[in-house]
Amino acid sequence: NGVDYMTLKNLTIENTSTTPGGIWFTNQADYNTISGVNISFTANTSAVTTTYYIAFSTSVTSPSGYASSATGTAGQPGSYNTISNCKMYTTSGNVGPYYGVTLSGNSSNYTTTAQNNTISGCAITNFYYYGIWQYYTNGNQILNNDISRNDATAGGSASLYSIYSYYAYSASRSIVISGNNMHDLPFKGATLTTTTMSTYYGVYAYYHYGTATYRLKIADNIQTNIMQTSSSLYGMYIYYPAYGDFSGNKIDNMQSSGTATNVYGFYIYYPSYSTITGNSVKNGIGNYYWYSYYIYYPSYCDVLQNSAVNNINYYTSGYMYSFYIYYPTGIRCNNNLVDKTTSNYYMYSFYLYYGSVGTYTWNEFQENTITNNISVNYNYSTYLYYYNGTNNFKINRNYIVGNQATGSTGYHYVYWYYLNNYE
């Protein structure tokens, strides 16, 4: 409570309570270091919302408190703290804490007051609902953590979030979510027949604001072996980001059995002045509508060197989109790859709908590779719709080979509609 400049190092904390907690910071606890600490829960039988491994909270009763009532000089639970190389775990079969780590801010001043907390190199296992949870933060960085339910033998909550981040700003350093490994959810060895997880968000980033100086960075995160049943499945959910760089993220073996579930590798909603570069979505399975990259109303964004490979959509009335880009203003969609995808109904490798050039001289769709993709019904390798008037578009050197529509009424299309001023 308000402690500053404290170091906890190479310590083991074992909590035998049925509703356990680990370490709690509040009341402007600043410049503290937690390094190499093991936190173990051995008797956690109830995943109530007061259970956690490490908490930064404005409250002294709730690990997720973010109210404006925080005290201290800057009114934050804590700032400039570092959590590194810690291991947080439960005994096998334990239900796990509701939160792995919470990082809360003050709802009244988070837009301008830096917190700049860092959590890095930690193993966070067997959480019940949230791996890492942060709310109303500024300048926090989540780096190179291992997040899983690797030691669990059954599912936690029906809804799981590996990293949940709600409203984040960048006053004096960048917001960064980078290098994290999220895997084996809801438990190691889960399949589409044994999973109990109906909703999953790998990275949930809601209203994250970078600046031209301190850009938002979500990069080099890995997600593997994600098995979901019926409701919502998002590898990356990034909502209204500004000045963001989303690069080098990899999603592998993300599967859904839900026959009314939209699957999104990347769901990026209203991004502005952002780059989406060098990401990959591969070996996925869907059973309704599939989107490897869903990019909605982007403004001045680059979509470069991304890939969607060996994904399958089994639903016989569902659409499969590898790149779905809707109403872009100023877009460069270049050097991307779609290969060996399969759909039992319609397929769109690249769907770019109704864009404008904005202040750019040209929009671009160049040097993309679209190969060996198979649908039963219509197979659109490209669907570029209604770029007219002054909306200049460069469409050059795209490689489209080996794509098929196998049904008796199916067709393969390279479809460009109502283009003007293009080269």
Side-chain angles (χ1 to χ4, degrees):
N1 190 339
V3 65
D4 296 332
Y5 297 100
M6 177 186 71
T7 297
L8 294 177
K9 188 173 183 180
N10 301 333
L11 176 71
T12 295
I13 298 171
E14 181 178 304
N15 193 324
T16 61
S17 170
T18 57
T19 55
I23 302 171
W24 191 306
F25 290 90
T26 191
N27 191 19
Q28 204 61 52
D30 299 333
Y31 298 100
N32 299 293
T33 299
I34 305 171
S35 177
V37 173
N38 295 330
I39 302 174
S40 171
F41 296 164
T42 60
N44 183 196
T45 57
S46 178
V48 295
T49 57
T50 54
T51 53
Y52 60 94
Y53 290 124
I54 297 174
F56 286 81
S57 173
T58 60
S59 169
V60 294
T61 58
S62 168
S64 58
Y66 54 85
S68 60
S69 58
T71 57
T73 304
Q76 303 291 335
S79 303
Y80 307 100
N81 299 286
T82 300
I83 305 166
S84 63
N85 303 317
C86 296
K87 184 177 180 181
M88 309 172 205
Y89 58 98
T90 69
T91 54
S92 181
N94 194 295
V95 68
Y98 195 85
Y99 301 98
V101 176
T102 70
L103 298 164
S104 298
N106 184 322
S107 59
S108 67
N109 66 6
Y110 73 97
T111 62
T112 56
T113 303
Q115 295 152 27
N116 292 7
N117 296 304
T118 302
I119 175 168
S120 66
C122 294
I124 304 168
T125 63
N126 294 10
F127 59 95
Y128 181 77
Y129 203 102
Y130 297 100
I132 296 174
W133 181 96
Q134 63 173 10
Y135 221 86
Y136 292 131
T137 58
N138 192 310
N140 285 353
Q141 298 187 352
I142 300 170
L143 311 173
N144 305 318
N145 301 287
D146 190 283
I147 300 171
S148 75
R149 290 181 46 80
N150 196 39
D151 297 327
T153 56
S157 170
S159 299
L160 291 176
Y161 294 77
S162 291
I163 298 172
Y164 180 98
S165 184
Y166 185 86
Y167 277 97
Y169 278 73
S170 304
S172 62
R173 75 170 186 174
S174 293
I175 311 156
V176 181
I177 301 172
S178 179
N180 301 286
N181 184 14
M182 297 155 271
H183 60 95
D184 295 299
L185 296 166
F187 55 90
K188 189 174 183 178
T191 67
L192 291 182
T193 57
T194 62
T195 182
T196 55
M197 183 172 67
S198 62
T199 299
Y200 174 74
Y201 292 82
V203 174
Y204 181 100
Y206 188 84
Y207 281 104
H208 281 41
Y209 299 104
T211 68
T213 303
Y214 301 111
R215 293 180 65 87
L216 163 67
K217 180 181 179 182
I218 300 178
D220 302 317
N221 300 287
I222 298 172
Q223 297 185 61
T224 54
N225 304 329
I226 310 298
M227 302 291 152
Q228 178 261 5
T229 57
S230 60
S231 184
S232 301
L233 180 55
Y234 297 85
M236 297 273 180
Y237 181 96
I238 305 170
Y239 191 86
Y240 270 101
Y243 294 98
D245 297 315
F246 316 118
S247 63
N249 300 287
K250 296 177 173 61
I251 300 173
D252 186 1
N253 194 31
M254 185 173 73
Q255 301 185 20
S256 172
S257 62
T259 56
T261 298
N262 289 343
V263 177
Y264 301 90
F266 292 78
Y267 179 99
I268 306 176
Y269 189 84
Y270 274 91
S272 58
Y273 305 101
S274 295
T275 63
I276 302 158
T277 307
N279 303 286
S280 68
V281 181
K282 65 180 182 178
N283 302 322
I285 293 177
N287 277 281
Y288 189 53
Y289 278 55
W290 175 280
Y291 302 85
S292 293
Y293 301 88
Y294 180 99
I295 306 168
Y296 190 81
Y297 272 91
S299 297
Y300 307 108
C301 292
D302 291 348
V303 182
L304 309 174
Q305 300 176 335
N306 305 284
S307 65
V309 176
N310 199 37
N311 300 303
I312 302 172
N313 193 27
Y314 285 117
Y315 189 51
T316 56
S317 296
Y319 287 28
M320 185 169 198
Y321 299 90
S322 291
F323 289 83
Y324 180 98
I325 303 173
Y326 190 80
Y327 266 85
T329 299
I331 189 77
R332 299 184 180 106
C333 183
N334 300 334
N335 298 105
N336 301 288
L337 168 67
V338 181
D339 184 46
K340 297 183 179 70
T341 61
T342 304
S343 174
N344 281 348
Y345 193 51
Y346 280 30
M347 173 186 292
Y348 295 83
S349 293
F350 287 88
Y351 180 96
L352 281 74
Y353 185 82
Y354 215 102
S356 66
V357 74
T359 60
Y360 280 8
T361 303
W362 295 92
N363 284 322
E364 297 178 9
F365 184 82
Q366 301 189 116
E367 299 182 336
N368 298 288
T369 299
I370 308 162
T371 52
N372 309 310
N373 304 293
I374 299 173
S375 69
V376 173
N377 293 86
Y378 291 177
N379 184 340
Y380 291 87
S381 288
T382 63
Y383 185 99
L384 277 62
Y385 183 84
Y386 206 83
Y387 288 80
N388 71 328
T390 60
N391 300 328
N392 309 322
F393 217 117
K394 290 185 177 182
I395 305 172
N396 295 303
R397 299 178 300 280
N398 298 288
Y399 184 71
I400 305 171
V401 173
N403 305 285
Q404 303 177 52
T406 60
S408 60
T409 60
Y411 294 91
H412 173 249
Y413 287 99
V414 175
Y415 184 89
W416 305 340
Y417 180 80
Y418 216 130
L419 303 180
N420 199 0
N421 297 333
Y422 62 92
E423 67 173 38

